[in-house]
C-alpha cells in the first residue's frame, strides 16, 4: 500500500517534531498524572483541552490486528503503549504466525523522501 | 391534550432501495414519509412531529418539513446517533406522544451514497495522496475503511474467545437464506459456508460476505398513541420498550472494545421496560453491518453466554426453522442497508404478519437493534403485535 504523503496541520506539529527527532511524543496531563493518545481531544479528568506532550518509551504490546490482502500484506493494529494509551498502528517485520494478543512491540521511525516522518511498530 | 398510555408504529414507508439513482436524500425522505402516511391511512396534515436522520451522503435536514408542506408541527429535529438513530428516533417519538408534546410523529432516514459505475464500498473508504491530521495519519498507514476498524474488533473477539471465521460465515449463510424469501432483498441467491470462506478478504478476518451492502433509498415510520392507532389502516405494532447504550470505550488499557458493546445496557434497559427476559424474545432483527456485529450483539443481549456467540450462530438457531429467527428479511448483509431502518422495517413487516414466505409463525416479542460508529452507540426496541401487558 502506498502510504502517501503526511502533512502537519498545527495540531500534529508536536507529534511530528518528535518523530523527526526519533522520539514518540504523546499527550500527558501532568495535573492528573495520565497519558493519552496523540489525538486525544483533551483530558476528561480535569477538562484541560490542550494537555501537554511527553516522550513515551516506545514500548508496546499488540491488542488486535487486521491484515489487508495486498502484496505484500499490510498488517494494521491497535497497540497498547507501555504508558496505557492505545494507538492505531501499522506493524512491520511480522508474519501472520507472529500475531497474538500481548505480542511485545517497539516503535521505529520511517523517514520518507517527502512529508513527515511516521511510525511503525516491530516485534 | 390527552396523553396516551401506549404507543405504536402505525405506518411504514419504503422507497425503492439499492441502486436508486437521481434522487437526493431530501427527495427520498419526502417520498418515504408520504408512503408511510398513506400506509397508515393518514394525511400528511395529520402529522404534528417529524424526526429526520441521515447517512453519509448529506442530511435531508429539518427543511424536509417545508418540502412536505408540513405546518404547525409540535416536534421537529434532526437526530444523530449514527446506526443507533432509528431506534432512538422511535423512542423520542414515543416519549413525545406519551407526554403530550405531539400526537403523530414521522421518523425518517434517507441516504444515497451509492453512485453509478462506482464500487459499493467506495462511500465508506478513504483515498488521498496527501493526508492531514491524526485521522489522516491513521488512514495513510492503511486503516482507510470502516471494515478495517470492525475487523480489529472482530479479531479481538476471535483471539479472546476462539470465535472462528466459519462461525461468522454461519451468520452470512442464515441471513442469505432468509433473504431468499424477501422480494425487496438485493441478494437472494443462496450461499454456502464455502462461498463465504472463498469470498475475498476485505480486511482479515472479514471476508466480503461478512460485510453489508451499500444502498440508496429512504424508510420512514410513523409513531402515534394507541388510542389513535386502533382506528388506522394497518394493525398497530406496539412499542413495549426501548433503551440506549453508549459505552464510551476509551482507547486505552482495560478497554472492552470488540469484546462487549452498548447492546448490554441498551438491551437491559429495553427488556426491563418491556417486562421481558431474553427467553421471551421470538424474533431478532439485529443491526448487521458485519456478521460479527450480530454475533457480539447476541451475546450482549444475553441470548447466549459471553464468548459463545460463535457456537450459537453455528448451531443453526438464527436461520429459517431455528430457535431464534434473526434478520428474517436478509438484513443489511443481503437485503438493503438503510442503517437502523433495516432491522426496524423488517420488525414492522413481521409484527404485522406481512412477511409472506419468510413470515415467522411466532412473533409475539420482536427485538430490534441499532449500532453506530465503531460499536460506539447502540439502541434497542422491543415491539409486538399485542399491546403491552395484554
Ligand atoms: Zn487532567
Amino acid at each position: 500500500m502506498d502510504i502517501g504523503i503526511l502533512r502537519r496541520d498545527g495540531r500534529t506539529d508536536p507529534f511530528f517534531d518528535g518523530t523527526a527527532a526519533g522520539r514518540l511524543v504523546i499527550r500527558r496531563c501532568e495535573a492528573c498524572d495520565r497519558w493519552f493518545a496523540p489525538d486525544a481531544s483533551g483530558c476528561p479528568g480535569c477538562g484541560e483541552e490542550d494537555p501537554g506532550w511527553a516522550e513515551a518509551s516506545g514500548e508496546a504490546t499488540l491488542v488486535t490486528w487486521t491484515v489487508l490482502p495486498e502484496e505484500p500484506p499490510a498488517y494494521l493494529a491497535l497497540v497498547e503503549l507501555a504508558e496505557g494509551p492505545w494507538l492505531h498502528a501499522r506493524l512491520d517485520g511480522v508474519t501472520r504466525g507472529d500475531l497474538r494478543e500481548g505480542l511485545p512491540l517497539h516503535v521505529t521511525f520511517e523517514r520518507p523522501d517527502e512529508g513527515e516522518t511516521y511510525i511503525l511498530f516491530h516485534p | 391534550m390527552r396523553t396516551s398510555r401506549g404507543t405504536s408504529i402505525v405506518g411504514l414507508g419504503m422507497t425503492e432501495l439499492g441502486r436508486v439513482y437521481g434522487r437526493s436524500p431530501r427527495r427520498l425522505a419526502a417520498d418515504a414519509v408520504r408512503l408511510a402516511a398513506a400506509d397508515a391511512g393518514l394525511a400528511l396534515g395529520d402529522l404534528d412531529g417529524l424526526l429526520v436522520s441521515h447517512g453519509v451522503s448529506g442530511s435531508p435536514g429539518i427543511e424536509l418539513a417545508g418540502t412536505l408542506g408540513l405546518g404547525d408541527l409540535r416536534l421537529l429535529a434532526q437526530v444523530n446517533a449514527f446506526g443507533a438513530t432509528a431506534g432512538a428516533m422511535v423512542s423520542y417519538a414515543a416519549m413525545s406522544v406519551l407526554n403530550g408534546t405531539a400526537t403523530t410523529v414521522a421518523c425518517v432516514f434517507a441516504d444515497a451514497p451509492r453512485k453509478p459505475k462506482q464500487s459499493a464500498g467506495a462511500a465508506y473508504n478513504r483515498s488521498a495522496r496527501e493526508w492531514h491530521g491524526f485521522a489522516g495519519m491513521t488512514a495513510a498507514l492503511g486503516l482507510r475503511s470502516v471494515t478495517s476498524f470492525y475487523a480489529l474488533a472482530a479479531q479481538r473477539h476471535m483471539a479472546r474467545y476462539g470465535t472462528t471465521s466459519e462461525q461468522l460465515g454461519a451468520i452470512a449463510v442464515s441471513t442469505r437464506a432468509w433473504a431468499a424469501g424477501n422480494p425487496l432483498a438485493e441478494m437472494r441467491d443462496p450461499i454456502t459456508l464455502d462461498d463465504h470462506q472463498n469470498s475475498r478478504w476485505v480486511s482479515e478476518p472479514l471476508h466480503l460476505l461478512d460485510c453489508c451492502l451499500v444502498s440508496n433509498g429512504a424508510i420512514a415510520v410513523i409513531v402515534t398513541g394507541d388510542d389513535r392507532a386502533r382506528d388506522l389502516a394497518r394493525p398497530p405494532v406496539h412499542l413495549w420498550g426501548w433503551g440506549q447504550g453508549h459505552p464510551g470505550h476509551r482507547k486505552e488499557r482495560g478497554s472492552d472494545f470488540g469484546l462487549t458493546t452498548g447492546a448490554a445496557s441498551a438491551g437491559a434497559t429495553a427488556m426491563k421496560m418491556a417486562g421481558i427476559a431474553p427467553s421471551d424474545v421470538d424474533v431478532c432483527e439485529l443491526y448487521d453491518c458485519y456478521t460479527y456485529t450480530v454475533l457480539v450483539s447476541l451475546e450482549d443481549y444475553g441470548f447466549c453466554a459471553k464468548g459463545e456467540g460463535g457456537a450459537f450462530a453455528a448451531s443453526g438457531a438464527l436461520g429459517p426453522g431455528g430457535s431464534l429467527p434473526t434478520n428474517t428479511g436478509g438484513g443489511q448483509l443481503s437485503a438493503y442497508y438503510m442503517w437502523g431502518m433495516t432491522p426496524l422495517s423488517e420488525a414492522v413487516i413481521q409484527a404485522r404478519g406481512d412477511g409472506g414466505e419468510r413470515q415467522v409463525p411466532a412473533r409475539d416479542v420482536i427485538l430490534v437493534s441499532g449500532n453506530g460508529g465503531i460499536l460506539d452507540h447502540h439502541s434497542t426496541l422491543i415491539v409486538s403485535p399485542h399491546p403491552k401487558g395484554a
Side-chain angles (χ1 to χ4, degrees):
Chain A
M1 172 180 282
D2 179 19
I3 299 266
I5 299 163
L6 291 166
R7 301 292 187 196
R8 58 178 63 204
D9 68 347
R11 286 196 71 229
T12 53
D13 292 5
F15 179 81
F16 286 128
D17 286 344
T19 59
R23 302 163 63 227
L24 177 61
V25 176
I26 65 172
R27 292 283 198 172
R28 173 165 171 75
C29 181
E30 289 291 344
C32 298
D33 187 25
R34 288 173 67 172
W35 295 87
F36 301 103
D39 63 346
S41 57
C43 174
C46 63
E48 173 58 57
E49 290 183 338
D50 188 19
W53 297 85
E55 184 171 358
S57 66
E59 301 302 316
T61 54
L62 183 58
V63 175
T64 185
W65 59 91
T66 179
V67 187
L68 298 184
E70 303 182 344
E71 201 49 56
Y75 295 91
L76 308 169
L78 269 170
V79 305
E80 181 172 299
L81 300 180
E83 292 77 11
W86 288 7
L87 294 185
H88 287 110
R90 187 179 178 113
L91 307 180
D92 198 25
V94 297
T95 63
R96 278 183 185 72
D98 299 330
L99 300 170
R100 59 178 173 83
E101 276 191 286
L103 177 72
L105 301 163
H106 66 271
V107 73
T108 61
F109 300 90
E110 290 292 316
R111 293 179 173 74
D113 294 335
E114 189 178 0
E116 300 294 340
T117 297
Y118 57 88
I119 57 174
L120 300 172
F121 282 84
H122 285 250
Chain B
M1 187 180 299
R2 192 158 71 89
T3 57
S4 173
R5 286 190 303 125
T7 52
S8 291
I9 295 172
V10 295
L12 171 66
M14 305 169 71
T15 67
E16 292 172 89
L17 302 169
R19 294 186 179 89
V20 184
Y21 304 123
R23 277 191 269 174
S24 69
R26 184 175 302 169
R27 172 64 198 272
L28 289 163
D31 291 349
V33 172
R34 289 178 196 281
L35 289 166
D39 178 63
L42 290 165
L44 279 181
D46 294 326
L47 299 176
D48 60 3
L50 177 65
L51 298 176
V52 182
S53 69
H54 63 281
V56 295
S57 65
S59 172
I62 57 175
E63 295 82 356
L64 177 64
T67 303
L68 286 164
L70 299 177
D72 196 24
L73 291 179
R74 310 300 169 92
L75 176 71
L76 174 63
Q78 177 171 304
V79 179
N80 184 19
F82 299 109
T85 308
M89 283 195 299
V90 167
S91 73
Y92 300 143
M95 287 186 269
S96 298
V97 170
L98 289 171
N99 67 24
T101 302
T103 67
T104 309
V105 182
C107 307
V108 64
F109 168 90
D111 203 12
R114 197 155 162 179
K115 305 281 185 285
K117 298 176 197 158
Q118 185 188 70
S119 81
Y124 290 85
N125 280 275
R126 300 185 62 176
S127 178
R129 199 179 111 74
E130 296 200 12
W131 304 92
H132 301 269
F134 288 113
M137 180 171 70
T138 299
L141 293 173
L143 287 157
R144 297 181 190 183
S145 76
V146 173
T147 305
S148 283
F149 289 93
Y150 273 89
L152 292 172
Q155 177 58 55
R156 192 166 195 228
H157 197 280
M158 290 173 148
R160 186 66 60 90
Y161 299 120
T163 307
T164 67
S165 173
E166 288 81 359
Q167 290 170 336
L168 294 177
I171 294 173
V173 171
S174 67
T175 306
R176 182 63 65 86
W178 283 116
N182 183 359
L184 298 178
E186 182 168 343
M187 303 289 210
R188 299 182 63 187
D189 293 337
I191 56 170
T192 66
L193 196 52
D194 280 345
D195 293 331
H196 171 271
Q197 291 291 295
N198 292 330
S199 68
R200 68 177 171 86
W201 294 116
V202 178
S203 193
E204 289 183 42
L206 298 178
H207 289 275
L208 181 65
L209 289 178
D210 289 305
C211 305
C212 67
L213 308 169
V214 174
S215 312
N216 294 353
I219 297 180
V221 296
I222 294 173
V223 174
T224 193
D226 283 349
D227 49 350
R228 184 171 214 180
R230 277 192 293 274
D231 304 325
L232 297 179
R234 301 303 319 279
V237 179
H238 297 271
L239 293 161
W240 282 15
W242 51 79
Q244 297 184 27
H246 309 269
H249 291 306
R250 288 214 292 264
K251 297 292 188 291
E252 63 183 23
R253 183 171 294 139
S255 169
D256 278 344
F257 172 75
L259 305 178
T260 65
T261 74
S265 59
T269 301
M271 285 189 254
K272 183 179 179 192
M273 191 184 300
I276 63 158
S279 59
D280 295 318
V281 174
D282 296 307
V283 184
C284 278
E285 306 297 351
L286 301 181
Y287 200 97
D288 57 337
C289 50
Y290 299 94
T291 52
Y292 152 79
T293 316
V294 174
L295 189 152
V296 73
S297 298
L298 289 165
E299 294 176 353
D300 290 334
Y301 280 128
F303 294 111
C304 60
K306 179 51 66 180
E308 294 178 5
F312 185 57
S315 74
L318 310 181
S323 60
L324 186 66
T326 295
N327 294 350
T328 52
Q332 301 168 338
L333 292 169
S334 288
Y336 47 87
Y337 185 53
M338 285 284 106
W339 292 30
M341 284 294 183
T342 297
L344 179 60
S345 56
E346 178 65 12
V348 171
I349 291 166
Q350 289 287 340
R352 289 171 164 182
D354 288 346
E357 61 181 277
R358 71 183 188 283
Q359 179 64 47
V360 297
R363 59 178 199 278
D364 292 336
V365 181
I366 304 175
L367 182 146
V368 185
S369 82
N371 159 73
I374 313 298
L375 308 166
D376 297 306
H377 310 290
H378 201 97
S379 64
T380 307
L381 296 173
I382 310 290
V383 305
S384 171
H386 316 294
K388 186 173 160 185

